[in-house]
Amino acid sequence: SGKEKNGTEHDITLTVTAKLTGIGTTTVTPPDLTGAKVEETAANGYPGFSKMYEGTYKNNIIVVKDGKFVKIGERVLEITKVENNKVSGRYSETVKPGFEADYPDKESFTFEMTEQADAGKMSPMSLFSYTNSHGEQTNGQLNMGGNGKVYLNLGIQVTGNNSYRSNANPNFDGEFLRVFGE
């Protein structure tokens, strides 16, 4: 409905009739790949990590001091190899001189994570184990992010078949950005 400038009112009614046919009768015929060159990218169709994720990723260690954000160090995650659903790499944290007391438990370790695919999707429990700064064996998890990003979760304690919690440092930030040489 609507009204013209001069006050004349108009009502418009529209009737639509649709007929649906063949519901549930579609058949899918897989293509014949005999002799075709087929390249598999991951188990069960899950894309997972690929070689394009190999490289160095960083983020800042930031604390709040005197009501301000202060960069006191840096986290470096290096993905050294992605092959056959395995992701290998190194992780380290460095703190600027004078800030050691603000971030005393610096982590440094190597890892190898095997991606677990379940029914065509990534399992939420693809974990790797590492030794933390206290000499304890614990778990971590690495996930793909948007372009040039990955997410790292440390200090994971498995609490059930599909559940866990993270006991990571409260100043830990798990979002890492790719370092590009310009």
Side-chain angles (χ1 to χ4, degrees), residues 41-44 46-49 82-87 113-117:
T41 57
N44 298 325
Y46 176 76
F49 279 93
V82 177
E83 188 174 73
N84 299 325
N85 293 346
K86 289 189 189 303
V87 181
M113 181 182 78
T114 301
E115 292 184 283
Q116 304 294 320

Side-chain angles (χ1 to χ4, degrees), residues 49-59 75-83 87-92 111 142 148-150 176-181:
F49 279 93
S50 65
K51 288 207 171 285
M52 77 176 180
Y53 283 89
E54 291 178 357
T56 301
Y57 299 78
K58 292 184 178 183
N59 78 18
R75 296 178 188 92
V76 177
L77 171 67
E78 186 179 358
I79 298 176
T80 56
K81 188 174 185 181
V82 177
E83 188 174 73
V87 181
S88 303
R90 292 184 284 275
Y91 175 79
S92 64
F111 67 91
L142 187 62
K149 293 182 185 176
V150 295
F176 286 78
L177 301 174
R178 180 76 177 261
V179 176
F180 294 95

